[in-house]
């Protein structure tokens, strides 16, 4: 254990089991540890470094902004947040934006907005229907929204107002809808739940049901948004438009940001009803603007789609080679490889030893979410290492 790792053991709360690597530098799709070892990064800050590590466009925007204006109160107008809001609205189906600092905070804002909507238009309806195996964040409210017992049980009793129903079942949403329901909140593709894709018509059916019942559809695009799925937003691929959408992760390519977007009809906050000290911070918004502009101007979503198809084809080859691999699925650069046994952790370790960072999303599944700028050569390199790792485990 290195000096820094020993200090971490001494000073940190045990909320995470870290891999035995201290990262000190990153560039593009690569990172280096304190001993100078290089790794190809298919975790990318947990689906965050959309343009890779320290992309010049982002680094320059941040550098310029920290020398200009770092933070003001939201009582005042500032330029980077307006620029980013305009770019988001011009490139999505939503009309209004609120900035915050993380995904969980964006989702909290979405639920508060839906409750305000319920008060205005649905006789005080406040309940939000969410899906089993979803993930919406770590605040108490979002733990209640997240349909996974392992995140909920340590903290019961949880805030009320959330109903977790079976994913991919329109019938279970219909059954759960009552006079108290103000919204349905879903990830277009469940990321943390194991890259679970929606059935062909699921999201369209949910949209139709929400319209019929006069309730809101909230899409949590925190993991799927900003090009990761091969389009700027995942909803574009499923023929639906949300009333409310949340973003975070890839929006600023590594700087901490969250965003809550709404259509005009759902944008019902009035002054003082919601807020955030750091939300809309000039530096993070400058990073967000630089990221989004680069993603749009350079068709980074198109690259994610092509590189994703190439990656899936390579993973399929490995599925044919190794009996333990049962399924490969995903879209764009959000991809999973599933095993018949709980060998994901051993595979992560074997990859790490060979210079590749991958994520164990479930005991029996590996997730790949590299930077969206990745090329086929890097995909080939990752596949080669994964092949060796799988072969070492099979031995
Ligand atoms: C779909 C989704 N929603 C919300 C979150 C929570 O985001 P954060 O960790 O920034 O609070 C995550 C994080 O993984 C996520 O994948």
């Amino acid at each position: 254990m290195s000096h820094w790792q020993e200090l971490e053991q001494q000073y940190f709360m045990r909320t995470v089991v870290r891999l035995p690597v201290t990262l000190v530098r990153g560039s593009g799709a690569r990172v280096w540890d304190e001993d100078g070892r290089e790794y190809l990064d298919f975790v990318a800050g947990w689906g965050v470094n959309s343009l890779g590590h320290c992309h010049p466009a982002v680094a320059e925007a941040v550098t310029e902004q920290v020398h200009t204006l770092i933070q003001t109160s939201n009582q005042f107008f500032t330029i980077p947040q307006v620029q980013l809001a305009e770019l988001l609205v011009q490139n999505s189906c939503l009309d209004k934006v609120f900035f915050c600092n993380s995904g969980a905070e964006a989702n909290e804002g979405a639920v508060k907005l839906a409750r305000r909507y319920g008060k205005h238009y649905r006789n005080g309806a406040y309940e939000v229907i969410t899906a089993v195996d979803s993930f919406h964040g770590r605040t108490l409210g979002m733990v209640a929204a997240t349909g996974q017992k392992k995140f909920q049980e340590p903290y019961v009793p949880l805030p009320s107002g959330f109903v977790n129903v079976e994913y991919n079942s329109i019938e279970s949403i219909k059954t759960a809808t009552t006079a108290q329901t103000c919204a349905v909140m879903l990830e277009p593709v469940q990321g943390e739940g194991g890259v679970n894709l929606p059935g062909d018509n699921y999201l369209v059916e949910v949209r139709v049901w929400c319209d019929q019942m006069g309730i809101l559809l909230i899409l949590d695009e925190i993991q799927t948004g900003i090009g990761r799925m091969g389009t700027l937003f995942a909803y574009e691929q499923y023929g639906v438009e949300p009333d409310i959408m949340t973003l975070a992760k890839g929006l600023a390519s590594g700087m901490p940001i969250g965003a809550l977007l709404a259509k005009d009809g759902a944008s019902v906050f009035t002054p003082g009803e919601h807020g955030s000290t750091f939300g809309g911070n000039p530096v993070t918004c400058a990073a967000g603007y630089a990221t989004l502009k680069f993603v749009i101007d350079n068709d980074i979503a198109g690259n994610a789609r092509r590189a994703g198809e190439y990656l899936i084809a390579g993973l399929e080859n490995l599925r044919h080679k190794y009996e333990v691999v049962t399924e490969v699925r995903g879209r764009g650069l959000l991809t999973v490889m599933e095993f018949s046994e709980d060998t994901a952790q051993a595979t992560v370790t074997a990859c790490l030893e060979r210079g590749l960072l991958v994520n164990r999303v479930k005991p029996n599944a590996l997730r790949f979410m590299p930077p969206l700028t990745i090329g086929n050569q890097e995909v080939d390199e990752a596949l080669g290492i994964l092949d060796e790792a799988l072969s070492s485990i099979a031995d």
Side-chain angles (χ1 to χ4, degrees):
M1 196 177 280
S2 79
H3 172 64
W4 295 113
Q5 292 168 17
E6 272 172 18
L7 288 183
E8 192 271 358
Q9 294 285 307
Q10 188 178 342
Y11 293 123
F12 262 69
M13 292 191 191
R14 300 265 70 81
T15 62
V16 61
V17 181
R18 298 186 206 256
L19 295 167
V21 175
T22 306
L23 297 175
V24 295
R25 189 163 67 84
S27 176
R30 291 177 199 272
V31 285
W32 287 265
D33 71 13
E34 57 186 327
D35 301 318
R37 275 207 67 192
E38 181 179 306
Y39 303 85
L40 188 53
D41 187 1
F42 271 48
V43 179
W46 217 273
V48 166
N49 305 107
S50 31
L51 302 184
H53 292 274
C54 305
H55 191 280
V58 180
E60 277 159 27
V62 168
T63 306
E64 193 183 328
Q65 193 58 47
V66 291
H67 289 290
T68 309
L69 183 68
I70 293 182
Q71 163 74 6
T72 71
S73 153
N74 272 315
Q75 274 188 310
F76 304 101
F77 294 87
T78 52
I79 295 168
Q81 63 176 237
V82 180
Q83 288 176 320
L84 178 55
E86 182 180 38
L87 199 58
L88 281 167
V89 168
Q90 284 173 345
N91 290 281
S92 73
C93 65
L94 291 310
D95 303 307
K96 294 285 189 290
V97 181
F98 173 86
F99 289 119
C100 51
N101 309 286
S102 69
E105 198 187 339
N107 284 338
E108 286 282 345
V111 168
K112 284 175 74 179
L113 187 60
R115 285 192 177 198
R116 290 305 293 143
Y117 184 90
K119 277 219 183 345
H120 281 295
Y121 300 116
R122 292 250 318 151
N123 295 321
Y126 63 94
E127 242 168 36
V128 177
I129 299 172
T130 66
V132 168
D133 283 339
S134 61
F135 186 84
H136 297 293
R138 302 288 198 151
T139 58
L140 265 185
M142 287 311 109
V143 165
T146 290
Q148 298 195 52
K149 289 274 169 282
K150 69 175 175 193
F151 295 117
Q152 295 183 332
E153 272 165 3
Y155 302 107
V156 288
L158 295 171
S160 60
F162 296 94
V163 189
N164 308 144
V165 305
E166 193 188 336
Y167 178 61
N168 255 335
S169 158
I170 183 65
E171 286 313 317
S172 58
I173 288 180
K174 288 184 177 176
T175 307
T177 306
T178 69
Q180 297 306 331
T181 308
C182 65
V184 175
M185 178 159 86
L186 296 170
E187 297 158 82
V189 170
Q190 293 187 327
E192 299 307 301
V195 190
N196 304 320
L197 302 170
D200 280 346
N201 282 324
Y202 177 58
L203 291 172
V204 170
E205 286 170 342
V206 177
R207 177 70 273 178
V208 170
W209 178 249
C210 289
D211 289 342
Q212 238 171 294
M213 301 308 291
I215 59 182
L216 300 175
L217 175 59
I218 305 171
L219 287 185
D220 174 344
E221 291 237 22
I222 285 161
Q223 189 155 147
T224 54
I226 318 297
R228 179 147 301 276
M229 297 263 306
T231 46
L232 193 55
F233 303 108
Y235 72 75
E236 298 166 42
Q237 297 182 39
Y238 294 104
V240 294
E241 290 189 357
D243 302 297
I244 298 176
M245 175 171 77
T246 52
L247 299 171
K249 288 196 184 287
L251 176 55
S253 202
M255 294 294 281
I257 192 168
L260 160 64
L261 288 84
K263 292 221 177 193
D264 274 329
S267 184
V268 294
F269 282 143
T270 56
E273 285 184 350
H274 194 50
S276 165
T277 298
F278 289 118
N281 169 275
V283 180
T284 53
C285 284
Y289 182 80
T291 301
L292 189 60
K293 187 100 181 60
F294 193 93
V295 165
I296 293 166
D297 291 350
N298 296 281
D299 188 24
I300 296 300
N303 188 68
R305 188 172 57 250
R306 289 184 294 276
E309 281 164 10
Y310 190 73
L311 172 63
I312 287 192
L315 293 173
E316 281 291 352
N317 288 340
L318 294 177
R319 181 171 70 83
H320 292 121
K321 185 165 172 189
Y322 297 99
E323 223 169 77
V324 71
V325 181
T326 51
E327 194 180 335
V328 170
R329 61 175 181 274
R331 278 215 184 178
L333 286 171
L334 184 56
T335 305
V336 78
M337 172 180 257
E338 228 165 63
F339 304 119
S340 55
E341 297 159 27
D342 289 351
T343 51
Q345 194 57 50
T347 316
V348 166
T349 304
C351 286
L352 186 71
E353 286 164 2
R354 292 165 176 78
L356 172 67
L357 308 183
V358 287
N359 168 246
R360 185 210 76 126
V361 68
K362 292 200 293 193
N364 71 331
L366 284 188
R367 180 173 40 172
F368 308 90
M369 40 184 176
L372 309 181
T373 44
I374 203 144
N376 287 359
Q377 224 176 327
E378 285 153 324
V379 171
D380 281 337
E381 197 184 324
L383 288 167
I385 295 175
L386 182 61
D387 190 357
E388 280 177 32
L390 288 170
S391 147
S392 77
I393 287 165
D395 288 345

